[in-house]
Amino acid sequence: MQQLRRGSRSAGAQRRSSGAAAAALRRPGPRAARPRAARPVARLVVAAGLLGTLFGGGGSAAKAAPEAPRKHLEDDLGEEQAEIELVSSERPDGSRARILYRSNAPVSPEELEQLCEKVGWPARPVDKVALALRNSYAVATLHLQISRPGGGGGGGSSSGSGGGGGAEGERLIGLARATSDHAFNATIWDVLVHPEFQGQGLGRALVEHMVRGLLRADITNVTLFADTKVVDFYKGLGFEADPENIRGMFYYPKL
């Protein structure tokens, strides 16, 4: 799943897909009553492809409690959590595979560009990627973590292998970021999930948790730009395409 393909009509121009449409999530009416207490996130993630290998075999499902009928995101904002476990499963060799959602965790710009390459986006200068991450209001990430038998597998980030039990390896498999004026408006950018993990509901979880974080901060005008092929995906999350006939406008410098 991609928010919009990177690339532009000329080198250095701001990214935009030729079929991009403006979308907005507007929260109706006054701010709701105080958010209810956070509840454990429960999702059913179909374990096909690589996820099937990690979480119990192709065509099976990594078991989680069934979802309740979908509500508006603002109906249950919960509380801010730095890390949420979306999927966890013990593998045949005794190790454990987990997919973790993290809010505003450090992100290596080099690792992000490697992920962008996997989804087919053109390369960007790493120094500008680092600047974009640093200047973002919010950065949401998905990480695949593999823990060896006997290891807790919880807590901090790890890459590669180390001595003793615990996290064997961890890699970035998804990201979304938002810019904001910190008061009224936010725009979501760079929504992407590694191709091996697409179609599993992880992109939806990524965007849902990011939007809830923005709403908790009382930022109620949330916008993004989407390829025509994913407009329905965002509509399913409550976004409206070109609300009240408002269109996105772009300026491309003639380089």
Side-chain angles (χ1 to χ4, degrees):
M1 185 281 300
Q2 293 174 232
Q3 176 197 0
L4 86 141
R5 292 190 302 274
R6 294 196 311 160
S8 58
R9 296 185 301 182
S10 60
Q14 183 172 347
R15 291 169 300 155
R16 179 199 178 221
S17 167
S18 59
L25 180 69
R26 296 175 300 165
R27 190 175 170 201
R31 186 173 177 84
R34 296 174 64 87
R36 291 183 280 264
R39 296 178 297 181
V41 175
R43 301 193 177 280
L44 182 65
V45 178
V46 178
L50 181 61
L51 275 183
T53 303
L54 293 169
F55 296 104
S60 66
K63 294 298 182 180
E67 288 190 5
R70 191 168 300 281
K71 301 178 180 178
H72 296 294
L73 294 179
E74 63 268 23
D75 289 342
D76 188 4
L77 297 182
E79 296 177 355
E80 183 68 32
Q81 299 182 59
E83 182 177 288
I84 300 172
E85 182 179 275
L86 298 179
V87 185
S88 177
S89 178
E90 186 171 337
R91 302 160 77 194
D93 64 359
S95 63
R96 180 164 293 276
R98 306 196 305 160
I99 293 181
L100 306 172
Y101 168 92
R102 290 184 181 145
S103 177
N104 293 319
V107 177
S108 160
E110 292 84 3
E111 189 176 14
L112 174 55
E113 278 302 282
Q114 291 171 9
L115 179 59
C116 292
E117 181 181 356
K118 292 291 185 182
V119 301
W121 289 2
R124 296 180 293 184
V126 172
D127 59 335
K128 297 193 75 171
V129 173
L131 186 62
L133 289 169
R134 189 161 59 249
N135 289 330
S136 294
Y137 175 81
V139 178
T141 51
L142 298 175
H143 300 264
L144 171 66
Q145 184 184 86
I146 306 297
S147 301
R148 292 189 300 276
S157 171
S158 172
S159 59
S161 58
E168 174 183 316
E170 183 174 293
R171 62 173 168 139
L172 181 70
I173 62 168
L175 180 137
R177 65 183 185 91
T179 54
S180 176
D181 59 13
H182 294 230
F184 304 105
N185 308 290
T187 301
I188 297 176
W189 306 94
D190 295 345
V191 179
L192 72 165
V193 173
H194 192 291
E196 293 175 341
F197 297 89
Q198 292 178 9
Q200 314 293 342
L202 297 175
R204 175 179 289 274
L206 184 67
V207 176
E208 282 184 349
H209 285 299
M210 167 160 275
V211 170
R212 284 193 176 103
L214 295 170
L215 295 178
R216 278 192 295 268
D218 203 21
I219 297 172
T220 57
N221 187 41
V222 183
T223 59
L224 55 84
F225 298 95
D227 281 343
T228 53
K229 64 183 179 181
V230 293
V231 166
D232 287 341
F233 167 81
Y234 287 109
K235 283 183 177 179
L237 288 167
F239 285 85
E240 301 175 41
D242 298 334
E244 300 176 7
N245 207 32
I246 298 172
R247 302 297 180 91
M249 305 293 288
F250 297 81
Y251 178 84
Y252 290 109
K254 296 177 174 57
L255 301 178

